Amino acid sequence: QMRLVESGGGLVQAGGSLRLSCRASGRTFSLKDMGWYRQNSEMQRELVAVIYSTLFTNYADSVKGRFTISRDNDENTVYLQMDSLKPEDTSRYFCNSHPPPPENSANWGPGTQVTVSS
């Protein structure tokens, strides 16, 4: 199983930007479809963006045009560039494979907190 460590979160004003990073362990990272997820009001993780091994990407409607997912397979890292941030983007962000493991799986990293002030 991959070990995942997210970083790059912080406090930012509305309209600002952040870049999240997620470093994964393992030698098969390049073959995996990877996603960024965030917790909703019910503390369930929902998909924000996904990048496939083919480099095709897809986004939740709420972040289209503002967020960009990318990956560096040489560094086993997936990124999430977040621009034009809104207060409703405030959440804890996680990366994992897509589709993800169950919510209660031990195969989630600690996540990184993003807080957007109005």
Side-chain angles (χ1 to χ4, degrees), residues 24-108:
S25 65
R27 289 185 280 181
T28 60
F29 175 79
S30 64
L31 302 178
K32 294 186 183 293
D33 303 331
M34 295 296 296
W36 279 98
Y37 305 84
R38 66 187 181 190
Q39 289 178 317
N40 59 22
S41 58
E42 297 178 350
M43 300 304 286
Q44 297 294 308
R45 294 181 183 93
E46 58 185 21
L47 182 66
V48 174
V50 58
I51 184 165
Y52 295 90
S53 60
T54 58
L55 302 184
F56 179 79
T57 59
N58 205 4
Y59 299 89
D61 287 344
S62 58
V63 306
K64 276 182 183 175
R66 299 188 298 121
F67 290 11
T68 304
I69 189 171
S70 61
R71 66 192 298 164
D72 183 338
N73 289 334
D74 290 336
E75 296 293 330
N76 275 21
T77 301
V78 59
Y79 302 98
L80 188 67
Q81 177 67 40
M82 306 189 295
D83 299 317
S84 303
L85 282 161
K86 304 176 180 180
E88 51 264 43
D89 295 318
T90 295
S91 185
R92 195 160 194 85
Y93 286 71
F94 302 82
C95 73
N96 216 312
S97 57
H98 178 71
E103 278 288 339
N104 61 355
S105 168
N107 295 320
W108 287 95

